[in-house]
Amino acid sequence: MPVDFYWRMAMEGDQPSLRRKGAASRGGFAKDATGGLAPGTREGGPDGYSHLDYLAEVARATETSGFVGALLPSFPHTDDPWAAAAALAGETSVYRFMVAFQPGFLHPVQAARMTASLQVATGGRVVYNIISGGGGPQQLWWGDKVDHDDRYTRTSEFLDVLKGVWYADRPYDHEGRFYRVEGGGLPPSLSGQPFPEIFFSGSSKAAIVAAGRHADHYLSWLEPLPSLAAKFDQVREHCAGIGRVPRFAVRLDVLARETEQEAWEEIRRGWARPGPAATPAFVGLGDSVGWRRGQDLAGEGNEDDGHRALEVSPNVWGGFHVLRAGPAFGLVGDYRQVAARLDELIGLGVEAFVLGGVPHLEEAYHVGERVLPLLRGGAAGRGGGS
Amino acid sequence: MTPEFHLTLPVERRRAAALPPLPDFVTDLRPSDAAGPYERLARVGRAAELAGLDGVLAPFDPAGQDPLVVAGGLLRGSRHTRVTAEFHPGIATPVYAAKLSASLQRFSGDRFDWRLTVDLDPQTARAQGDFLEGAERYARAEEFLTVAKGVWSQEDYDFQGSFYEVLGGGLLFPLSGRAFPRVQLSGLSAEALALSARHGDVHVFGLDDDLDSGIAALRELSLETGREPVYGLRLPVLAREDDIEARRDALRLWIRRGGAREAFPEPDPCTALWPGFGTVGLTGSHEDGPAAGFHEPGLVGSYGRVADAVRGHLDRGVSVFFLEVEPHLEETYRLGEHLLPLLAKEKHHAG
Ligand SMILES: Cc1cc2nc3c(=O)[nH]c(=O)nc-3n(C[C@H](O)[C@H](O)[C@H](O)COP(=O)(O)O)c2cc1C
């Protein structure tokens, strides 16, 4: 079974390194524009470049260094993935755009039309990351007051309607709890496109149930391996009950260097730098079961503990959220160690990865060229390579 | 008012245009994939950019590509032209529409605009999953624009209406602080005019509409709202070196679209008005049905005569023209090179 490696597009802007925690000065996300780029300054004025120009460079780097595409996340503080995918559709040739979106915010007919249009524009390179939201203030910020389990019910109905419209060979009708359509379908100029592969995120029971019906890949943030294995078992068990075989995908950051010391030194410097954690408070506050799991497993990152206290097992580090916006767990080590941990994950049944690293441009080359070639596959991983 | 000229983009209903085979003895290095819809649109977009038009409009047509996706690509491929996407309020929440648009503004230097269609015909609307009818649609459009503008420009924004609810909303840095898309609206009903007086930046008329009374009504409403949109006009055009040539090509267009030669309506020699731009069955060479966006009356005549007609509309208060032409690429260059120079004075010395 081939394993797909995706990278990320830093829709939240990018930092020059993990040492500069929270200073997303690439893409115009730092309030202090000094030293920022895309937009940068020339002769005292803006140089006319935008975040999109940087994202395009990252996409090109991603495409040529061994990744099949990238996840484009979507949070209140980020640029929008549909906008970026539409703008960059013509600029890569095999790169897949894994667009993250919450079903409630677009109408499913519009989602079908936008997706099919993007499929036409890209030659069928759209992939979905279906997210159902983290709840709390963030959900209300978006204008969505549907609560946790109902959001998954809506997600399910949304995907039913989207597929109904997509595959309709006669006028499609639907009357449900959240959506109603009469005589829907796609016109000849949009129909017959491949339906995007679905990566589905969510750790709660409701998520697992909804994913069971719709997911091609069950996508999880990295957790300590035993806990991740237990979660996969839970999903397998649910899927067995409905006669489906789940496929697993994991999203994690990697920091890989020539030597292990060099890698940890990178972390140490970021950790030692004064200032608040990078992840906006906003992100962690909701009803997200998955986010809670990550935070509980990582413990509350505290500068006094020292960064190595968050290494829960060799090379598995739960402090990334302090150094850049995003989830806690990732891998830190030399190239071989990181490759061996990825092999272990393959051994647990992971068939797709969404890797990330800061800064996304240089690290895409770095990880693609130095780590991916060292992978040996799941059999090696199950043997517990070093 | 400085006049502005926007090109209405074709609705891409075809997948790829088949190229005619070349004779065997001709070296044929053509790429095997004929240009797809997005490449064709990109070429038209670049034509508008190079020909000096002010903008392009991606119209909504259920049979065509999605205007937001089209707009994203065209903004990326241009430096100067504004790009308008036409959509209806049912496609997304206003927060999401605002957020997506804020990114497009960041990517493009604030060149993205909205045309909000409120009055879709009910069957089309229901196929898009939208069952609201009548005045309720205007009530929703009002809320949609209120919320989109609210989250755009305010922090800690709260809203509770009949259609939307937001708590602690508001775009965050650096998505905040960009120019809100210019809002284009249309319609002659009392609700439509009232919506424009409150939220419209451009109110778009058709040549068939009673322009003077529409403008007068909006001016009056804008006394109450304290803001007045500028006025726009959809304008199909076929302009040539002289009237005779223009008539000849109008006749060709007519016949190509399936019109009978005997039934050809003559362009008005004084006003250059020609009613035939969309009247015929529109089958002919359009294998996939009528070319949408080709409204009925338009202008046919020499460059000078068409320029005069444009000046006439400027005098009546219209300043934004949404030109509709076919074929798009050639006609766009033609307008840029022959018609717009005649209007250079109006363009550069407007009050
Ligand atoms: C890999 C992954 C990526 C995610 N990406 C996003 C995202 O881009 N935007 C977002 O709002 N939430 C994102 N989420 C969070 C989900 O919306 C949801 O809050 C999370 O999966 C928790 O759901 P649960 O309560 O079922 O665990 C992501 C989750 C995972 C696992």
Side-chain angles (χ1 to χ4, degrees):
Chain A
M1 187 58 80
V3 177
D4 288 347
F5 282 89
Y6 286 82
W7 190 246
R8 292 179 81 239
M9 250 193 201
M11 302 306 295
E12 70 280 14
D14 211 354
Q15 300 168 201
S17 76
L18 283 180
R19 301 178 185 190
R20 301 283 300 276
K21 78 181 156 203
S25 54
R26 296 186 186 177
F29 285 80
K31 285 222 161 105
D32 173 9
T34 321
L37 52 85
T41 39
R42 285 227 179 219
E43 290 160 19
D47 66 2
Y49 289 102
S50 80
H51 190 204
L52 191 67
D53 295 294
Y54 179 67
L55 293 177
E57 287 311 309
V58 179
R60 283 188 273 270
T62 302
E63 183 170 69
T64 56
S65 50
F67 299 97
V68 299
L71 165 64
L72 285 62
S74 169
F75 290 95
H77 61 282
T78 67
D79 268 316
D80 179 70
W82 293 99
L88 296 177
E91 275 175 67
T92 49
S93 50
V94 295
Y95 180 96
R96 300 182 204 150
F97 296 88
M98 190 194 292
V99 175
F101 68 101
Q102 296 201 36
F105 308 163
L106 285 172
H107 194 283
V109 177
Q110 174 65 11
R113 293 182 57 85
M114 273 166 80
T115 304
S117 294
L118 270 178
Q119 292 294 49
V120 173
T122 59
R125 293 187 281 127
V126 180
V127 174
Y128 286 156
N129 178 20
I130 300 292
I131 49 184
S132 296
Q138 186 172 143
Q139 216 61 33
L140 299 166
W141 182 96
W142 283 111
D144 184 18
K145 56 174 185 172
V146 175
D147 66 23
H148 183 278
D149 287 9
D150 278 346
R151 288 202 304 277
Y152 284 103
T153 310
R154 180 178 62 190
T155 291
S156 243
E157 188 183 329
F158 177 97
L159 289 170
D160 286 337
V161 175
L162 176 43
K163 289 176 183 167
V165 169
W166 193 278
Y167 292 114
D169 49 15
R170 71 178 89 103
Y172 170 78
D173 294 335
H174 172 87
E175 185 137 14
R177 184 171 151 207
F178 294 94
Y179 303 107
R180 220 175 130 197
V181 178
E182 190 181 295
L186 292 175
S189 67
L190 295 178
S191 63
Q193 294 293 326
F195 190 80
E197 235 185 319
I198 295 182
F199 285 72
F200 199 101
S201 302
S203 300
S204 56
K205 181 76 187 141
I208 291 169
V209 172
R213 280 191 54 206
H214 291 290
D216 296 308
H217 288 275
Y218 177 82
L219 175 64
S220 174
W221 284 310
L222 182 65
E223 295 178 6
L225 269 48
S227 142
L228 194 65
K231 187 163 157 187
F232 287 175
D233 283 342
Q234 216 187 330
V235 175
R236 284 196 184 97
E237 195 182 318
H238 172 78
C239 286
I242 56 168
R244 286 192 59 158
V245 180
R247 304 171 70 185
F248 295 103
V250 176
R251 148 91 188 95
L252 69 148
D253 269 27
V254 294
L255 178 68
R257 290 292 180 268
E258 196 87 37
T259 66
E260 191 182 357
Q261 289 88 324
E262 223 184 308
W264 285 112
E265 176 61 11
E266 212 45 43
I267 299 282
R268 190 195 64 76
R269 287 186 186 230
W271 196 263
R273 199 180 170 90
T279 293
F282 219 8
V283 174
L285 289 177
D287 57 19
S288 163
V289 173
W291 185 266
R292 241 327 91 231
R293 277 173 72 108
Q295 297 298 305
D296 292 348
L297 291 163
E300 295 301 326
N302 176 339
E303 272 137 63
D304 306 332
D305 293 349
H307 60 282
R308 283 304 276 266
L310 297 182
E311 189 182 10
V312 297
S313 64
N315 312 110
V316 179
W317 190 61
F320 276 97
H321 59 300
V322 179
L323 303 187
R324 55 98 186 92
F329 281 97
L331 300 176
V332 181
D334 67 29
Y335 300 133
R336 268 178 205 291
Q337 289 171 326
V338 169
R341 297 293 92 80
L342 292 171
D343 283 334
E344 279 177 47
L345 287 165
I346 298 171
L348 288 182
V350 176
E351 291 176 36
F353 289 90
V354 178
L355 302 184
V358 171
H360 289 68
L361 178 70
E362 294 94 316
E363 290 296 315
Y365 287 122
H366 207 144
V367 175
E369 290 169 7
R370 309 304 292 270
V371 177
L372 298 190
L374 300 178
L375 292 168
R376 295 190 299 156
R382 278 190 296 275
S386 64
Chain B
M1 274 296 146
T2 312
E4 277 179 39
F5 300 94
H6 297 247
L7 177 71
T8 307
L9 292 166
V11 168
E12 284 290 347
R13 298 175 162 205
R14 296 166 305 163
R15 285 152 181 272
L19 296 166
L22 292 177
D24 287 346
F25 57 86
V26 175
T27 308
D28 187 357
L29 297 181
R30 295 179 298 183
S32 55
D33 293 340
Y38 285 84
E39 174 54 21
R40 293 196 298 269
L41 285 165
R43 291 177 190 180
V44 175
R46 287 193 294 267
E49 174 97 358
L50 292 180
L53 272 75
D54 296 285
V56 295
L57 161 71
F60 168 74
D61 183 311
Q65 303 296 314
D66 179 71
L68 290 168
V69 173
V70 171
L74 291 179
L75 286 165
R76 177 67 175 160
S78 58
R79 286 186 219 164
H80 302 289
T81 41
R82 303 193 67 79
V83 179
T84 303
E86 181 177 29
F87 59 91
H88 64 94
I91 65 165
T93 64
V95 178
Y96 202 79
K99 178 133 188 294
L100 188 156
S101 301
S103 280
L104 289 178
Q105 297 301 43
R106 276 168 44 72
F107 297 162
S108 70
D110 296 333
R111 290 185 289 121
F112 178 55
D113 292 331
W114 288 3
R115 177 174 290 190
L116 207 60
T117 33
V118 181
D119 259 333
L120 284 184
D121 95 81
Q123 193 190 339
T124 304
R126 288 200 290 270
Q128 311 297 315
D130 185 10
F131 288 75
L132 280 190
E133 285 188 20
E136 271 206 296
R137 288 195 197 172
Y138 281 93
R140 179 184 56 185
E142 166 84 41
E143 271 194 25
F144 185 92
L145 288 166
T146 301
V147 173
K149 290 177 178 180
V151 296
W152 193 278
S153 58
Q154 293 177 46
E155 283 170 39
D156 224 347
Y157 175 78
D158 293 343
F159 181 88
Q160 182 151 17
S162 344
F163 301 93
Y164 310 110
E165 211 175 315
V166 178
L167 202 67
L171 296 183
L172 309 169
F173 177 86
L175 276 80
S176 56
R178 310 297 310 202
F180 193 79
R182 285 205 308 185
V183 176
Q184 303 169 12
L185 295 164
S186 58
L188 299 171
S189 67
E191 292 98 340
L193 295 173
L195 183 67
S196 247
R198 277 195 298 274
H199 288 289
D201 297 304
V202 185
H203 192 87
V204 185
F205 294 97
L207 270 174
D208 270 344
D209 296 341
D210 183 347
L211 244 170
D212 296 330
S213 72
I215 291 178
L218 254 167
R219 289 221 160 111
E220 192 163 318
L221 287 169
S222 61
L223 292 179
E224 290 161 37
T225 57
R227 61 190 299 292
E228 188 185 353
V230 299
Y231 301 102
L233 186 67
R234 291 189 306 266
L235 196 59
V237 188
L238 196 161
R240 294 291 182 270
E241 193 102 21
D242 57 43
D243 290 341
I244 294 171
E245 215 183 339
R247 180 196 180 277
R248 182 199 68 195
D249 287 353
L251 177 60
R252 278 197 184 141
L253 179 68
W254 176 263
I255 288 170
R256 201 166 64 234
R257 297 263 192 96
R261 186 180 290 271
E262 319 75 68
F264 178 72
E266 291 296 331
D268 185 302
C270 304
T271 60
L273 273 176
W274 183 60
F277 275 100
T279 43
V280 264
L282 298 183
T283 40
S285 66
H286 290 261
E287 68 268 33
D288 303 319
F294 232 71
H295 296 272
E296 288 163 1
L299 300 177
V300 170
S302 67
Y303 299 125
R305 201 176 294 285
V306 170
D308 281 342
V310 167
R311 280 186 204 104
H313 286 296
L314 282 169
D315 292 341
R316 291 165 76 185
V318 171
S319 60
V320 188
F321 297 89
F322 297 94
L323 305 172
E324 296 173 6
V325 296
E326 194 185 298
H328 288 79
L329 191 119
E330 287 120 285
E331 294 294 317
T332 299
Y333 276 101
R334 199 190 287 283
L335 294 174
E337 290 175 316
H338 299 288
L339 179 66
L340 299 194
L342 298 182
L343 295 160
K345 212 168 92 219
E346 286 75 10
K347 182 103 191 141
H348 298 297
H349 300 285

